[in-house]
Coordinates of all heavy atoms in Angstrom, one line a residue:
A7 N 13.8 5.9 -6.0 CA 12.4 5.6 -6.5 C 11.4 5.8 -5.3 O 10.3 6.2 -5.6 CB 12.4 4.1 -7.0
L8 N 11.8 5.4 -4.1 CA 10.9 5.5 -3.0 C 10.5 7.0 -2.8 O 9.4 7.3 -2.6 CB 11.4 4.9 -1.7 CG 10.6 4.9 -0.5 CD1 9.3 4.2 -0.7 CD2 11.3 4.3 0.7
H9 N 11.5 7.8 -2.8 CA 11.3 9.3 -2.6 C 10.3 9.8 -3.6 O 9.3 10.5 -3.3 CB 12.6 10.0 -2.8 CG 12.5 11.5 -2.9 ND1 12.3 12.3 -1.8 CD2 12.5 12.3 -4.0 CE1 12.2 13.6 -2.3 NE2 12.3 13.6 -3.6
S10 N 10.5 9.5 -4.9 CA 9.6 10.0 -5.9 C 8.2 9.4 -5.7 O 7.2 10.1 -5.9 CB 10.1 9.6 -7.3 OG 11.3 10.2 -7.6
A11 N 8.1 8.2 -5.4 CA 6.8 7.5 -5.2 C 6.0 8.2 -4.0 O 4.8 8.4 -4.1 CB 7.0 6.0 -4.9
I12 N 6.7 8.5 -2.9 CA 6.1 9.1 -1.8 C 5.6 10.5 -2.2 O 4.5 10.9 -1.9 CB 7.0 9.1 -0.5 CG1 7.2 7.7 0.0 CG2 6.3 9.9 0.6 CD1 8.3 7.7 1.1
M13 N 6.5 11.3 -2.8 CA 6.1 12.6 -3.2 C 4.9 12.6 -4.2 O 4.0 13.4 -4.0 CB 7.3 13.3 -3.9 CG 8.4 13.7 -3.0 SD 7.8 14.9 -1.7 CE 7.3 16.3 -2.7
T14 N 4.9 11.7 -5.1 CA 3.8 11.6 -6.1 C 2.5 11.2 -5.4 O 1.5 11.8 -5.6 CB 4.1 10.6 -7.2 OG1 5.3 11.0 -7.9 CG2 3.0 10.4 -8.1
A15 N 2.6 10.3 -4.5 CA 1.4 9.8 -3.7 C 0.8 10.9 -2.8 O -0.4 11.1 -2.7 CB 1.7 8.6 -3.0
V16 N 1.7 11.6 -2.1 CA 1.3 12.7 -1.2 C 0.6 13.8 -2.0 O -0.5 14.3 -1.7 CB 2.4 13.2 -0.4 CG1 2.1 14.5 0.3 CG2 2.8 12.2 0.7
Q17 N 1.3 14.2 -3.1 CA 0.7 15.2 -4.0 C -0.7 14.8 -4.5 O -1.6 15.6 -4.6 CB 1.6 15.6 -5.1 CG 2.9 16.2 -4.7 CD 4.0 16.4 -5.7 OE1 3.7 16.0 -6.9 NE2 5.1 16.8 -5.4
S18 N -0.8 13.6 -4.9 CA -2.0 13.0 -5.5 C -3.1 13.1 -4.4 O -4.3 13.4 -4.7 CB -1.8 11.6 -6.0 OG -3.0 11.0 -6.3
A19 N -2.8 12.7 -3.2 CA -3.8 12.7 -2.1 C -4.3 14.1 -1.8 O -5.5 14.3 -1.7 CB -3.1 12.1 -0.8
F20 N -3.4 15.1 -1.9 CA -3.8 16.4 -1.7 C -4.7 16.9 -2.8 O -5.7 17.6 -2.6 CB -2.6 17.4 -1.5 CG -2.0 17.4 -0.1 CD1 -0.7 17.0 0.1 CD2 -2.8 17.8 1.0 CE1 -0.2 17.1 1.4 CE2 -2.3 17.9 2.2 CZ -1.0 17.5 2.5
R21 N -4.3 16.5 -4.0 CA -5.1 16.9 -5.2 C -6.5 16.3 -5.2 O -7.5 16.9 -5.7 CB -4.4 16.6 -6.5 CG -3.2 17.5 -6.7 CD -2.6 17.3 -8.1 NE -1.5 18.1 -8.2 CZ -0.2 17.7 -8.3 NH1 0.0 16.4 -8.3 NH2 0.8 18.5 -8.4
L22 N -6.6 15.1 -4.5 CA -7.9 14.5 -4.4 C -8.8 15.1 -3.3 O -9.9 14.7 -3.0 CB -7.8 13.0 -4.2 CG -7.2 12.2 -5.4 CD1 -6.9 10.8 -5.0 CD2 -8.3 12.2 -6.5
G23 N -8.1 16.0 -2.5 CA -8.8 16.6 -1.4 C -8.8 15.9 -0.1 O -9.6 16.2 0.8
L24 N -7.9 14.9 -0.1 CA -7.8 14.1 1.2 C -7.1 14.9 2.2 O -6.1 15.6 1.9 CB -7.1 12.8 0.9 CG -7.8 11.9 -0.1 CD1 -7.0 10.6 -0.4 CD2 -9.2 11.5 0.3
R25 N -7.5 14.7 3.5 CA -6.8 15.5 4.6 C -5.7 14.6 5.2 O -5.9 13.4 5.4 CB -7.8 15.8 5.6 CG -8.9 16.8 5.1 CD -10.0 17.1 6.0 NE -9.4 17.7 7.3 CZ -10.0 17.6 8.4 NH1 -11.2 17.1 8.6 NH2 -9.4 18.2 9.5
P26 N -4.6 15.3 5.5 CA -3.4 14.5 6.1 C -3.8 13.9 7.4 O -4.7 14.3 8.1 CB -2.4 15.6 6.4 CG -2.8 16.8 5.6 CD -4.3 16.7 5.4
A27 N -3.1 12.8 7.7 CA -3.3 12.1 9.0 C -4.7 11.4 9.1 O -5.1 11.2 10.2 CB -2.9 12.9 10.2
T28 N -5.4 11.2 8.0 CA -6.6 10.5 8.0 C -6.4 9.1 7.4 O -5.5 8.9 6.7 CB -7.8 11.3 7.3 OG1 -7.4 11.3 5.9 CG2 -8.0 12.7 7.8
A29 N -7.3 8.2 7.8 CA -7.2 6.9 7.3 C -7.2 6.8 5.7 O -6.5 6.1 5.1 CB -8.3 6.0 7.8
K30 N -8.1 7.6 5.1 CA -8.2 7.7 3.6 C -6.9 8.2 3.0 O -6.4 7.7 2.0 CB -9.3 8.5 3.2 CG -10.7 7.8 3.4 CD -11.8 8.7 2.8 CE -13.1 8.0 3.0 NZ -14.2 8.7 2.4
F31 N -6.3 9.2 3.6 CA -5.1 9.8 3.1 C -4.0 8.7 3.2 O -3.3 8.4 2.2 CB -4.7 11.0 3.9 CG -3.5 11.8 3.4 CD1 -3.7 12.9 2.6 CD2 -2.2 11.4 3.6 CE1 -2.7 13.7 2.1 CE2 -1.1 12.1 3.1 CZ -1.4 13.3 2.4
L32 N -3.8 8.1 4.3 CA -2.7 7.1 4.5 C -3.0 5.9 3.6 O -2.0 5.4 3.0 CB -2.6 6.7 5.9 CG -2.1 7.7 6.9 CD1 -2.2 7.2 8.3 CD2 -0.7 8.1 6.6
A33 N -4.2 5.5 3.5 CA -4.5 4.3 2.6 C -4.2 4.6 1.2 O -3.6 3.8 0.4 CB -6.0 3.9 2.7
H34 N -4.5 5.8 0.7 CA -4.2 6.2 -0.7 C -2.7 6.2 -0.9 O -2.2 5.6 -1.9 CB -4.7 7.7 -0.9 CG -4.3 8.2 -2.3 ND1 -5.0 7.9 -3.4 CD2 -3.3 9.0 -2.6 CE1 -4.4 8.5 -4.4 NE2 -3.4 9.2 -4.0
V35 N -1.9 6.8 0.0 CA -0.5 6.8 -0.2 C 0.1 5.4 -0.1 O 0.9 5.0 -0.9 CB 0.2 7.8 0.8 CG1 1.7 7.7 0.7 CG2 -0.3 9.2 0.6
R36 N -0.3 4.6 0.9 CA 0.2 3.3 1.0 C -0.1 2.4 -0.2 O 0.8 1.7 -0.7 CB -0.4 2.6 2.3 CG 0.1 3.1 3.6 CD -0.5 2.2 4.7 NE -0.4 2.9 6.0 CZ -1.4 2.9 6.8 NH1 -2.6 2.4 6.6 NH2 -1.2 3.5 8.0
D37 N -1.3 2.5 -0.7 CA -1.7 1.8 -1.9 C -0.8 2.1 -3.1 O -0.3 1.3 -3.8 CB -3.2 2.0 -2.2 CG -3.6 1.2 -3.4 OD1 -3.5 -0.1 -3.3 OD2 -4.2 1.8 -4.4
H38 N -0.6 3.4 -3.3 CA 0.3 3.9 -4.4 C 1.7 3.3 -4.2 O 2.3 2.9 -5.2 CB 0.3 5.4 -4.4 CG 1.2 6.0 -5.4 ND1 0.9 6.1 -6.8 CD2 2.5 6.3 -5.4 CE1 1.9 6.6 -7.5 NE2 2.9 6.7 -6.6
L39 N 2.2 3.4 -3.0 CA 3.6 2.9 -2.7 C 3.7 1.4 -3.0 O 4.7 0.9 -3.6 CB 4.0 3.2 -1.3 CG 4.2 4.7 -1.0 CD1 4.5 4.9 0.5 CD2 5.2 5.3 -1.9
R40 N 2.7 0.6 -2.5 CA 2.7 -0.8 -2.8 C 2.7 -1.2 -4.3 O 3.3 -2.2 -4.7 CB 1.5 -1.5 -2.1 CG 1.7 -1.6 -0.6 CD 0.6 -2.5 0.1 NE 0.8 -2.4 1.5 CZ 0.0 -1.6 2.3 NH1 -1.0 -0.9 1.7 NH2 0.2 -1.6 3.6
K41 N 2.0 -0.4 -5.0 CA 1.9 -0.6 -6.5 C 3.1 -0.1 -7.2 O 3.6 -0.8 -8.2 CB 0.7 0.0 -7.1 CG -0.6 -0.6 -6.6 CD -1.8 0.1 -7.1 CE -3.1 -0.5 -6.6 NZ -4.3 0.2 -7.0
S42 N 3.7 1.0 -6.8 CA 4.8 1.6 -7.6 C 6.2 1.2 -7.2 O 7.1 1.1 -8.0 CB 4.7 3.1 -7.6 OG 4.8 3.6 -6.3
V43 N 6.4 0.9 -5.9 CA 7.7 0.5 -5.4 C 7.6 -0.7 -4.4 O 7.9 -0.6 -3.3 CB 8.5 1.6 -4.7 CG1 9.0 2.6 -5.8 CG2 7.6 2.3 -3.7
P44 N 7.0 -1.8 -4.9 CA 6.8 -3.0 -4.0 C 8.0 -3.5 -3.4 O 8.0 -3.9 -2.2 CB 6.1 -4.0 -4.9 CG 6.5 -3.6 -6.3 CD 6.7 -2.1 -6.3
D45 N 9.1 -3.5 -4.1 CA 10.4 -4.0 -3.5 C 10.8 -3.2 -2.3 O 11.3 -3.7 -1.3 CB 11.5 -4.2 -4.5 CG 11.2 -5.2 -5.6 OD1 10.3 -6.1 -5.3 OD2 11.8 -5.1 -6.7
A46 N 10.7 -1.9 -2.5 CA 11.1 -1.0 -1.4 C 10.2 -1.1 -0.2 O 10.7 -1.2 1.0 CB 11.1 0.5 -1.9
I47 N 8.9 -1.3 -0.4 CA 8.0 -1.5 0.7 C 8.3 -2.8 1.4 O 8.2 -2.9 2.6 CB 6.5 -1.4 0.2 CG1 6.3 0.0 -0.4 CG2 5.6 -1.7 1.3 CD1 6.6 1.2 0.6
A48 N 8.5 -3.9 0.6 CA 8.8 -5.2 1.2 C 10.1 -5.1 2.1 O 10.1 -5.8 3.1 CB 9.0 -6.2 0.1
A49 N 11.0 -4.3 1.7 CA 12.3 -4.2 2.5 C 12.0 -3.4 3.8 O 12.6 -3.7 4.8 CB 13.3 -3.4 1.7
L50 N 11.1 -2.4 3.7 CA 10.8 -1.6 4.9 C 9.8 -2.4 5.8 O 9.8 -2.2 7.0 CB 10.1 -0.3 4.5 CG 11.1 0.7 3.9 CD1 10.3 1.9 3.4 CD2 12.1 1.2 5.0
V51 N 8.9 -3.2 5.3 CA 7.9 -3.9 6.0 C 8.0 -5.4 5.7 O 7.2 -6.0 5.1 CB 6.5 -3.4 5.6 CG1 5.4 -3.9 6.5 CG2 6.5 -1.9 5.6
P52 N 9.1 -6.0 6.2 CA 9.3 -7.4 5.8 C 8.3 -8.4 6.4 O 8.0 -9.4 5.8 CB 10.7 -7.7 6.4 CG 10.9 -6.7 7.5 CD 10.1 -5.5 7.0
D53 N 7.7 -8.1 7.6 CA 6.8 -9.1 8.1 C 5.4 -8.5 8.2 O 4.6 -8.9 9.0 CB 7.2 -9.7 9.5 CG 8.4 -9.0 10.1 OD1 9.0 -8.1 9.5 OD2 8.6 -9.3 11.3
G54 N 5.0 -7.5 7.5 CA 3.7 -7.0 7.4 C 3.4 -5.8 8.2 O 4.2 -4.9 8.3
T55 N 2.2 -5.7 8.7 CA 1.6 -4.5 9.3 C 2.4 -3.8 10.3 O 2.5 -2.6 10.3 CB 0.2 -4.8 9.9 OG1 -0.6 -5.5 8.9 CG2 -0.5 -3.6 10.3
P56 N 3.1 -4.4 11.3 CA 3.8 -3.6 12.3 C 4.8 -2.7 11.7 O 5.1 -1.6 12.2 CB 4.5 -4.7 13.2 CG 3.7 -5.9 13.0 CD 3.1 -5.8 11.6
G57 N 5.4 -3.0 10.6 CA 6.4 -2.2 9.9 C 5.8 -1.0 9.2 O 6.5 -0.1 8.8
E58 N 4.5 -0.9 9.1 CA 3.8 0.2 8.5 C 4.0 1.5 9.2 O 3.9 2.6 8.7 CB 2.4 -0.1 8.2 CG 2.1 -1.0 7.1 CD 0.7 -1.0 6.5 OE1 -0.2 -0.5 7.2 OE2 0.6 -1.6 5.4
V59 N 4.4 1.4 10.5 CA 4.7 2.6 11.3 C 5.9 3.4 10.6 O 5.9 4.6 10.5 CB 5.1 2.3 12.7 CG1 5.6 3.5 13.5 CG2 3.9 1.7 13.4
V60 N 6.8 2.6 10.0 CA 8.0 3.2 9.3 C 7.5 4.0 8.1 O 7.8 5.1 7.9 CB 9.0 2.1 8.9 CG1 10.1 2.7 8.0 CG2 9.6 1.5 10.1
I61 N 6.6 3.3 7.4 CA 6.0 4.0 6.2 C 5.2 5.2 6.6 O 5.3 6.3 5.9 CB 5.2 3.0 5.4 CG1 6.0 1.9 4.8 CG2 4.4 3.7 4.2 CD1 5.3 0.7 4.2
D62 N 4.4 5.1 7.6 CA 3.6 6.2 8.0 C 4.5 7.4 8.5 O 4.1 8.5 8.2 CB 2.6 5.8 9.2 CG 1.5 4.9 8.7 OD1 1.4 4.7 7.5 OD2 0.9 4.3 9.5
N63 N 5.6 7.1 9.1 CA 6.5 8.2 9.5 C 7.1 8.8 8.3 O 7.3 10.1 8.3 CB 7.6 7.6 10.4 CG 7.1 7.3 11.8 OD1 6.1 7.8 12.3 ND2 7.8 6.4 12.5
L64 N 7.4 8.1 7.3 CA 8.0 8.7 6.1 C 6.9 9.5 5.4 O 7.2 10.6 5.0 CB 8.4 7.6 5.1 CG 9.7 6.8 5.4 CD1 9.9 5.6 4.5 CD2 10.9 7.7 5.3
I65 N 5.7 9.0 5.3 CA 4.6 9.8 4.8 C 4.4 11.1 5.5 O 4.3 12.2 4.9 CB 3.3 9.0 4.8 CG1 3.4 7.8 3.8 CG2 2.1 9.9 4.4 CD1 2.3 6.8 4.0
A66 N 4.4 11.0 6.9 CA 4.3 12.2 7.7 C 5.3 13.3 7.4 O 5.1 14.5 7.2 CB 4.3 11.9 9.2
R67 N 6.6 12.8 7.2 CA 7.7 13.7 6.9 C 7.4 14.4 5.6 O 7.7 15.6 5.4 CB 9.0 13.0 6.8 CG 10.1 13.9 6.8 CD 11.4 13.3 6.2 NE 11.9 14.2 5.2 CZ 12.3 14.0 4.0 NH1 12.2 12.8 3.5 NH2 12.8 14.9 3.2
Y68 N 7.0 13.7 4.5 CA 6.8 14.3 3.2 C 5.6 15.2 3.3 O 5.6 16.3 2.6 CB 6.6 13.2 2.2 CG 7.9 12.6 1.7 CD1 8.5 11.6 2.4 CD2 8.6 13.1 0.7 CE1 9.7 11.1 2.1 CE2 9.8 12.6 0.3 CZ 10.4 11.6 1.0 OH 11.6 11.1 0.6
V69 N 4.5 14.9 4.1 CA 3.4 15.8 4.2 C 3.9 17.1 4.9 O 3.5 18.2 4.4 CB 2.3 15.1 5.1 CG1 1.2 16.2 5.5 CG2 1.6 14.0 4.3
E70 N 4.7 17.0 5.9 CA 5.2 18.2 6.6 C 6.0 19.0 5.6 O 5.9 20.3 5.6 CB 6.0 17.8 7.8 CG 5.2 17.2 8.9 CD 6.0 16.5 10.0 OE1 7.2 16.4 9.9 OE2 5.3 16.1 11.0
D71 N 6.8 18.4 4.8 CA 7.6 19.1 3.8 C 6.7 19.8 2.8 O 6.9 21.0 2.4 CB 8.5 18.2 3.0 CG 9.8 17.8 3.8 OD1 10.0 18.3 4.9 OD2 10.5 16.9 3.3
W72 N 5.7 19.1 2.3 CA 4.7 19.6 1.3 C 4.0 20.9 1.9 O 3.8 21.8 1.2 CB 3.7 18.5 1.0 CG 2.7 19.0 0.0 CD1 1.4 19.3 0.3 CD2 2.8 19.1 -1.4 NE1 0.7 19.7 -0.9 CE2 1.6 19.6 -1.9 CE3 3.8 19.0 -2.3 CZ2 1.3 19.8 -3.3 CZ3 3.6 19.2 -3.7 CH2 2.4 19.6 -4.1
L73 N 3.6 20.8 3.2 CA 2.9 21.9 3.8 C 3.8 23.0 4.3 O 3.4 24.0 4.8 CB 2.1 21.4 5.0 CG 1.0 20.4 4.7 CD1 0.4 19.9 6.0 CD2 -0.1 21.1 3.8
G74 N 5.2 22.8 4.2 CA 6.1 23.8 4.6 C 6.2 24.0 6.1 O 6.6 25.0 6.6
L75 N 6.0 22.9 6.8 CA 6.1 22.9 8.3 C 7.5 22.9 8.7 O 8.4 22.4 8.0 CB 5.4 21.8 8.9 CG 3.9 21.6 8.6 CD1 3.3 20.4 9.3 CD2 3.1 22.9 9.0
T76 N 7.8 23.6 9.8 CA 9.2 23.7 10.4 C 9.2 23.0 11.7 O 8.2 22.5 12.2 CB 9.6 25.1 10.5 OG1 8.8 25.7 11.5 CG2 9.5 25.9 9.2
A77 N 10.4 23.0 12.3 CA 10.5 22.3 13.7 C 9.7 23.1 14.7 O 9.3 22.5 15.7 CB 12.0 22.4 14.1
D78 N 9.3 24.3 14.5 CA 8.5 25.1 15.4 C 7.0 24.9 15.3 O 6.3 25.3 16.1 CB 8.8 26.6 15.3 CG 10.3 26.9 15.6 OD1 10.9 26.2 16.4 OD2 10.8 27.9 15.0
T79 N 6.6 24.2 14.2 CA 5.2 24.0 14.0 C 4.8 22.6 14.5 O 5.6 21.7 14.6 CB 4.8 24.1 12.5 OG1 5.5 23.2 11.8 CG2 5.0 25.5 12.0
P80 N 3.5 22.5 14.9 CA 3.1 21.1 15.4 C 3.3 20.1 14.3 O 3.2 20.4 13.1 CB 1.6 21.3 15.7 CG 1.4 22.8 15.8 CD 2.4 23.4 14.9
R81 N 3.6 18.9 14.7 CA 3.8 17.8 13.7 C 2.4 17.3 13.2 O 1.4 17.6 13.8 CB 4.5 16.6 14.4 CG 5.8 17.0 15.1 CD 7.0 17.4 14.2 NE 6.9 17.9 12.9 CZ 7.4 19.1 12.6 NH1 7.8 20.0 13.5 NH2 7.4 19.6 11.4
V82 N 2.4 16.5 12.2 CA 1.2 16.0 11.6 C 0.5 15.2 12.7 O 1.0 14.4 13.4 CB 1.5 15.0 10.4 CG1 0.3 14.2 10.0 CG2 2.1 15.8 9.3
G83 N -0.8 15.5 12.8 CA -1.7 14.9 13.8 C -1.7 15.6 15.1 O -2.6 15.2 15.9
E84 N -0.9 16.6 15.4 CA -0.9 17.3 16.6 C -1.7 18.6 16.6 O -2.1 19.0 17.7 CB 0.5 17.6 17.1 CG 1.3 16.4 17.4 CD 2.8 16.7 17.8 OE1 3.1 17.9 17.8 OE2 3.5 15.8 18.1
A85 N -1.9 19.1 15.5 CA -2.6 20.4 15.4 C -4.1 20.2 15.0 O -4.4 19.2 14.3 CB -1.9 21.3 14.4
P86 N -5.0 21.0 15.4 CA -6.4 20.9 15.0 C -6.6 20.8 13.5 O -7.5 20.2 13.0 CB -7.1 22.1 15.5 CG -6.2 22.5 16.7 CD -4.8 22.1 16.3
L87 N -5.6 21.5 12.7 CA -5.7 21.5 11.3 C -5.8 20.0 10.7 O -6.4 19.8 9.7 CB -4.4 22.1 10.7 CG -4.1 22.1 9.2 CD1 -5.1 22.9 8.5 CD2 -2.7 22.6 8.9
Y88 N -5.2 19.1 11.4 CA -5.1 17.7 10.9 C -6.2 16.8 11.4 O -6.2 15.7 11.1 CB -3.7 17.1 11.2 CG -2.6 18.0 10.8 CD1 -1.7 18.6 11.7 CD2 -2.4 18.2 9.4 CE1 -0.7 19.4 11.2 CE2 -1.3 19.0 9.0 CZ -0.5 19.6 9.9 OH 0.5 20.4 9.5
R89 N -7.0 17.3 12.2 CA -8.1 16.4 12.8 C -9.4 16.6 12.1 O -9.7 17.5 11.5 CB -8.2 16.7 14.3 CG -6.9 16.3 15.0 CD -7.1 16.3 16.5 NE -5.8 16.0 17.0 CZ -5.3 16.6 18.1 NH1 -5.9 17.5 18.7 NH2 -4.1 16.3 18.5

C-alpha cells in the first residue's frame, strides 16, 4: 500500500506542475501519504518530525525512478534541474 501511495502522490505532484525537492512538492506527497496510508506513516515516523527524513528519502527514490535517473546522474536536490 505504501508503494502505491508514494507512486500516486509523486505522479500527482508532477501533474500539478510541482517541482521535485521543493517544499510544496514534499508537502503534497507527505499530505497524500498521511491521508492514504496513516498506519504505514505512523510506523515509519513513530515520534513525529525527525522520522520524516525516512519519508523524504523514500519520496526522493520514487522521484528518481519517475524521472528515469540512474546511479550516474545527480541525485534529487544536487542538480540545477531541481533547484
Side-chain angles (χ1 to χ4, degrees):
L8 181 60
H9 166 80
S10 294
I12 295 173
M13 286 301 297
T14 299
V16 166
Q17 292 171 5
S18 170
F20 278 119
R21 288 188 184 111
L22 290 171
L24 302 176
R25 294 177 58 204
T28 63
K30 286 184 179 184
F31 188 98
L32 292 172
H34 174 81
V35 176
R36 287 182 197 139
D37 183 57
H38 177 84
L39 295 177
R40 285 189 187 100
K41 290 176 182 175
S42 63
V43 286
D45 294 339
I47 297 307
L50 287 172
V51 189
D53 12 353
T55 307
E58 286 197 344
V59 171
V60 173
I61 295 170
D62 290 349
N63 287 339
L64 288 170
I65 293 168
R67 189 203 136 227
Y68 282 86
V69 167
E70 290 167 357
D71 285 352
W72 178 260
L73 294 174
L75 301 179
T76 66
D78 296 333
T79 57
R81 305 288 30 114
V82 169
E84 293 179 357
L87 170 68
Y88 306 114
R89 294 191 183 136

